[in-house]
Amino acid sequence: MDSRQILEAFDEVAKRRGWSRLHTPKNLSMALSVEVAELMRHLQWRSDEEILQLFASAEGCTAIAELADIQMYLLKLADTLGVDMEQALAEKITENRRRCAAAEDPGEEGPGGPSGRS
Amino acid sequence: MDSRQILEAFDEVAKRRGWSRLHTPKNLSMALSVEVAELMRHLQWRSDEEILQLFASAEGCTAIAELADIQMYLLKLADTLGVDMEQALAEKITENRRRCAAAEDPGEEGPGGPSGRS
Amino acid sequence: MDSRQILEAFDEVAKRRGWSRLHTPKNLSMALSVEVAELMRHLQWRSDEEILQLFASAEGCTAIAELADIQMYLLKLADTLGVDMEQALAEKITENRRRCAAAEDPGEEGPGGPSGRS
Amino acid sequence: MDSRQILEAFDEVAKRRGWSRLHTPKNLSMALSVEVAELMRHLQWRSDEEILQLFASAEGCTAIAELADIQMYLLKLADTLGVDMEQALAEKITENRRRCAAAEDPGEEGPGGPSGRS
């Protein structure tokens, strides 16, 4: 299932339910943020071990569905904004590799750390 | 570029920078939330029209890169949790279509609205 | 410094900078979300021990300022929505105590857990 | 009701329910983020006018309770981090006024805009 098929399925449901006019950039970014928090709600009071157990169990299905929701809203938002995700990803990966190489060259950047990365 | 390739690029940089041990489920969910907010920062004070103008302009590239970051952290989080995103998406789409059909059948559900959907 | 004084200081700066018209409910909720993420950015890759060390050190001041930003946007959002925070807090505390008592009465509610609380 | 009383009420319920050990800095920051999203869920598909109508109506009480939850988790997180919110707010307000004055002095800073503020 590629991005185009996911978007078509998303839009078909939105159209039939009369929700398409609500899918503005601002609203979609809020929905994306809400879906991430719905996932986080399953993780917030659990340790990393308990989280892995949850996702390996039958009760994990609700949390797994949140991951799918995040993916759908992300693709819909990118589409609404006219962003080519393939290209955005390719450029970001190139940029991350460039920064990584620069960090390994002591003349270019300090040792840094994950706190400072974007 | 498929999910596997994106993950390999992500992991390669993480490994070289010594960040892999930080990529636990909890930390990754926080990073995903932070990246969504970094995107939202570009949208919060703009109208929908101004947002579309931003993304159509050269200055939009920083905001576009946030979309790529969100995608990468989402894939990494799903991978860490052992979630098959292809399957999760297929199941969620099936579920959304089922709910949509139920909503169209007046005997099943009220007219509803987007506020109540998940 | 009480809520009224915090709001007056916030509004004074907003007015002088010409930002007041941007302070709509939707925009303010996005700003609140962005500020929470800016705080989370200081925590995401650190352990709980490292977080406590950060806040006890001089470098913690940027992170502390995020807490103040969250408080200001929360009060501004509540004010814009016409919500009396004093009353909202009093009602929520009463409700939490009632639920707690119900949870302690085995006839009312199961053992429950933090995952299910709101 | 001051901060100390809110914290005591929060801690009393947490202690009786056995949740205190879960209230680490990281978990509390996630809970804060989740509560902000629960508020946002009431706003995401509504216009600013519809949001104001919601909060003026009887149905707004659930959304109002989210604002109280955000306030409680913010105070609990600050307390856990050893942050004096009174002082943090006083310092942030002083800083915002200083930046505002600098922005009004054309020799100090450009006209700027809300996108660039923190």
Side-chain angles (χ1 to χ4, degrees), chain B residues 10-70:
Chain B
F10 183 97
D11 285 339
E12 179 207 324
V13 167
K15 196 178 169 189
R16 284 168 65 188
R17 303 199 84 158
W19 292 338
S20 301
R21 65 170 183 85
L22 300 171
H23 291 157
T24 65
K26 229 159 168 150
N27 289 1
L28 287 166
S29 76
M30 291 171 83
L32 179 61
S33 178
V34 167
E35 293 301 336
V36 169
E38 299 212 346
L39 173 67
M40 201 175 257
R41 195 154 31 152
H42 295 279
L43 317 185
Q44 62 185 343
W45 308 118
R46 291 181 161 94
S47 68
D48 282 313
E49 292 70 33
E50 288 165 341
I51 291 168
L52 291 173
Q53 281 167 22
L54 172 71
F55 279 82
S57 74
E59 299 100 280
C61 67
T62 324
I64 289 171
E66 306 293 1
L67 286 163
D69 273 329
I70 297 169

Side-chain angles (χ1 to χ4, degrees), chain A residues 16 19 26 46 104, chain B residues 16 19 26 46 104 117:
Chain A
R16 284 168 65 189
W19 291 339
K26 233 162 166 149
R46 290 181 162 94
E104 285 169 338
Chain B
R16 284 168 65 188
W19 292 338
K26 229 159 168 150
R46 291 181 161 94
E104 283 170 340
R117 66 173 158 160

